Amino acid sequence: MFTEHHRRPMAVAVLGLASVLALTSCSSGQQAAGSGGGDVAKVDGRISLTYLQKQGDQEYFVGEAAGAKAKADELGIDLKVVNLGTDANKTISEAQSAISQKSNGLIVVVPDPAVGPQVAQIAKDAKVALLTSDDQICTTGPDPSSCAADALVPRIGFSGAQMGGEVGKRAAAEFKKAGWNPAETRTLSAWKQDVTVCTDRVKASKEAFAANSGAKVQNIDVPTDNSPTGAQDKIAATITANPGVKHWVVWGCNDENVQGGVTALENAGFKADDVIGVGLGAYLACKNWSSGKPSGMKAALFINGKDVGALAVQTMYDKLKNGKAFPKEAFAPTTMVDASTWKSAGVTCG
């Protein structure tokens, strides 16, 4: 998620984080049945949690797991982290397994939002607290984008609109600095189009670029699987289909999409000066910069998975130990970085 989707061993400073989080609560103060919590009892003894993550070997989620484990250790929580890979069916079986093992709460990053209603029902039937991190799920249908607000499961993560907006603004600034002819330029938006948070990010990037670039540049949408190789293959085909384009501006749901695009353009013979890639995550972008060679990856929005993992565990603890209602969403902060600033910002390449 980034999804997708991300690589930063920055220390988790929860007290500092708490002061900068923007928390948005349900206007009614009530939660939908099955969306995290009305029937969940407080836990008097030691809390047991299970964190189910898609793509658990991806750097962002590795960091998220590390942040969750550090916070769990601090709070005296038993935490099990499970890598779901990209197997939606495994989400169901592992959720059922966690409940049979007496987990008090589930934190889930689903490989496919279509399993959302089933996961929510499993948690509701067992009276187990449910949170999502990163990606949204709906209790009443497979598509969070068409879900009623009160049926969305409470989520810990980042603001898609804010992140996408920052990416679009930076892309516009780089475009203006490059001085390219708009008619010879295309913007390329790459993302897994059934992931709601990805669509939110890309939509905001498009809008921010249009508002800040001072030019009308044609956009091409490219559906991907949110992986570097998947994005590279799809974008390579797009480049071939548009032989007259001299300059490309690339953004997407995560660093994987932008890295795939930058690599595809490089393989197609485009020089770094003819490519503006603005990543989202910085965990792959930093590898371009650490080489010291010119790169089409001009900047990236740094998002720290450790912060999300830690906040998700803290939010669960507050609910189960103190009866504090889940916020509708809790957002962690982000920072734009580039080749000259990524190290000082705390990005560490794996």
Side-chain angles (χ1 to χ4, degrees), residues 194-327:
D194 62 351
V195 178
T196 309
V197 293
C198 288
T199 301
D200 292 343
R201 296 172 191 178
V202 169
K203 179 175 181 288
S205 294
K206 292 179 185 179
E207 292 173 349
F209 183 86
N212 292 276
S213 64
K216 195 165 186 178
V217 179
Q218 183 178 330
N219 177 75
I220 300 174
D221 288 341
V222 179
T224 75
D225 62 1
N226 276 352
S227 73
T229 54
Q232 182 179 334
D233 291 345
K234 291 295 185 72
I235 292 170
T238 302
I239 296 165
T240 301
N242 291 271
V245 179
K246 295 182 178 180
H247 315 288
W248 292 89
V249 183
V250 185
W251 56 66
C253 178
N254 53 18
D255 257 21
E256 283 80 354
N257 281 288
V258 182
Q259 184 62 61
V262 168
T263 301
L265 286 160
E266 180 180 307
N267 291 345
F270 284 84
K271 297 185 181 302
D273 287 345
D274 292 315
V275 178
I276 294 170
V278 182
L280 204 162
Y283 46 89
L284 293 181
C286 63
K287 293 188 174 183
N288 296 273
W289 305 325
S290 62
S291 72
K293 298 177 182 178
S295 172
M297 188 75 79
K298 297 301 191 292
L301 193 67
F302 175 38
I303 58 177
N304 192 343
K306 284 190 173 183
D307 288 345
V308 173
L311 181 60
V313 170
Q314 180 71 58
T315 304
M316 268 290 188
Y317 178 87
D318 291 342
K319 168 68 177 176
L320 294 172
K321 186 61 68 174
N322 303 317
K324 183 178 179 181
F326 286 145

Side-chain angles (χ1 to χ4, degrees), residues 46 80 153 156 225:
R46 190 174 178 90
K80 180 181 180 181
V153 174
I156 307 297
D225 62 1

Side-chain angles (χ1 to χ4, degrees), residues 56-316:
D57 56 350
Q58 187 185 70
E59 287 296 332
Y60 171 81
F61 293 116
V62 170
E64 184 175 77
K69 290 172 183 175
K71 177 50 63 175
D73 288 345
E74 177 188 324
L75 296 173
I77 291 171
D78 292 328
L79 175 69
K80 180 181 180 181
V81 178
V82 178
N83 179 11
L84 302 173
T86 58
D87 188 347
N89 291 328
K90 191 175 180 181
T91 313
I92 304 303
S93 62
E94 290 292 349
Q96 292 169 332
S97 176
I99 288 170
S100 71
Q101 294 170 24
K102 308 302 182 184
S103 278
N104 304 116
L106 302 178
I107 306 168
V108 185
V109 193
V110 293
D112 185 336
V115 301
Q118 194 171 351
V119 173
Q121 191 64 49
I122 289 169
K124 181 184 178 185
D125 291 345
K127 297 185 178 180
V128 166
L130 176 65
L131 270 177
T132 61
S133 70
D134 305 288
D135 299 344
Q136 288 181 314
I137 62 173
C138 179
T139 64
T140 57
D143 183 4
S145 67
S146 60
C147 186
D150 63 355
L152 289 170
V153 174
R155 181 178 77 92
I156 307 297
F158 298 96
S159 165
Q162 183 270 335
M163 289 193 300
E166 291 301 315
V167 168
K169 286 177 190 175
R170 181 58 179 259
E174 295 288 343
F175 170 77
K176 291 200 291 189
K177 184 168 68 175
W180 295 342
N181 180 349
E184 299 175 338
T185 305
R186 295 291 183 273
T187 62
L188 193 152
S189 305
W191 80 106
K192 193 171 189 295
Q193 297 182 354
D194 62 351
V195 178
T196 309
V197 293
C198 288
T199 301
D200 292 343
R201 296 172 191 178
V202 169
K203 179 175 181 288
S205 294
K206 292 179 185 179
E207 292 173 349
F209 183 86
N212 292 276
S213 64
K216 195 165 186 178
V217 179
Q218 183 178 330
N219 177 75
I220 300 174
D221 288 341
V222 179
T224 75
D225 62 1
N226 276 352
S227 73
T229 54
Q232 182 179 334
D233 291 345
K234 291 295 185 72
I235 292 170
T238 302
I239 296 165
T240 301
N242 291 271
V245 179
K246 295 182 178 180
H247 315 288
W248 292 89
V249 183
V250 185
W251 56 66
C253 178
N254 53 18
D255 257 21
E256 283 80 354
N257 281 288
V258 182
Q259 184 62 61
V262 168
T263 301
L265 286 160
E266 180 180 307
N267 291 345
F270 284 84
K271 297 185 181 302
D273 287 345
D274 292 315
V275 178
I276 294 170
V278 182
L280 204 162
Y283 46 89
L284 293 181
C286 63
K287 293 188 174 183
N288 296 273
W289 305 325
S290 62
S291 72
K293 298 177 182 178
S295 172
M297 188 75 79
K298 297 301 191 292
L301 193 67
F302 175 38
I303 58 177
N304 192 343
K306 284 190 173 183
D307 288 345
V308 173
L311 181 60
V313 170
Q314 180 71 58
T315 304
M316 268 290 188

